[in-house]
Amino acid sequence: MARPIRYRSRSENSAQRVFETLADQAYLEARQAELGGQGAALLKFEAGGSPVDHAEYTVRQGVGREHLPSVIQKVLPGDLVIERTETWRRTAEGCYEGSVVASVASAPGRIAGTHRLSDLEDIGGGRPGSEFAVDGEAHVRIPLVGGKVEAVIAEQVEKIIDRETRFLLDWLGR
């Protein structure tokens, strides 16, 4: 049984400005250096259009074994290493959509979902901005403990997305 992953955040920035940052190689490299953990890297990067209207990138993130819940330590032989590929494309004025697929080295399973970035007329208080949304699921094929592992992975993924969103908003505020 797969575990859902749901994340939403709002920003005072336009969807175009947020997307242009997400599709910037220097930003992604800085994010990986700051948040990616052990063995972090930007493995692949492509973006195009004028203004930029599509992007695809793959990142590697690491979480040291000592920071993992005991249920994960019991089934994974070492550190948690996640490789994640994100694709984005502009689908309309002020709207970007795409997919995300991630795998965990030495774990039989995957994380997959969609993401959306869209302008909003009112994010609260009559202020325009944008919303970032992720909908996905974690699926791990390990007999007996797979559901527990899925729950932990889904929780950790939501925390990673939240940390990355806070980094993005700080970056945009510079």
Side-chain angles (χ1 to χ4, degrees), residues 59-122:
V59 296
R60 180 187 318 121
Q61 297 170 285
V63 179
R65 182 176 178 76
E66 67 278 8
H67 300 294
L68 300 173
S70 61
V71 68
I72 301 289
Q73 289 181 12
K74 290 176 186 175
V75 296
L76 291 181
D79 296 339
L80 183 68
V81 178
I82 302 167
E83 285 196 8
R84 180 178 76 203
T85 299
E86 294 188 29
T87 61
W88 286 95
R89 69 188 178 292
R90 181 177 178 262
T91 58
E93 183 72 30
C95 188
Y96 302 83
E97 297 178 359
S99 64
V100 58
V101 177
S103 61
V104 177
S106 70
R110 67 183 243 151
I111 302 161
T114 60
H115 45 218
R116 185 182 67 258
L117 178 59
S118 53
D119 282 334
L120 295 177
E121 290 182 22
D122 185 358

Side-chain angles (χ1 to χ4, degrees), residues 12-13 21 44 54 57-58 61-62 76 97-98 109 120 151-152 167:
E12 293 182 355
N13 300 284
T21 302
K44 175 184 174 184
H54 65 278
Y57 47 86
T58 301
Q61 297 170 285
L76 291 181
E97 297 178 359
L120 295 177
V152 170
F167 183 85

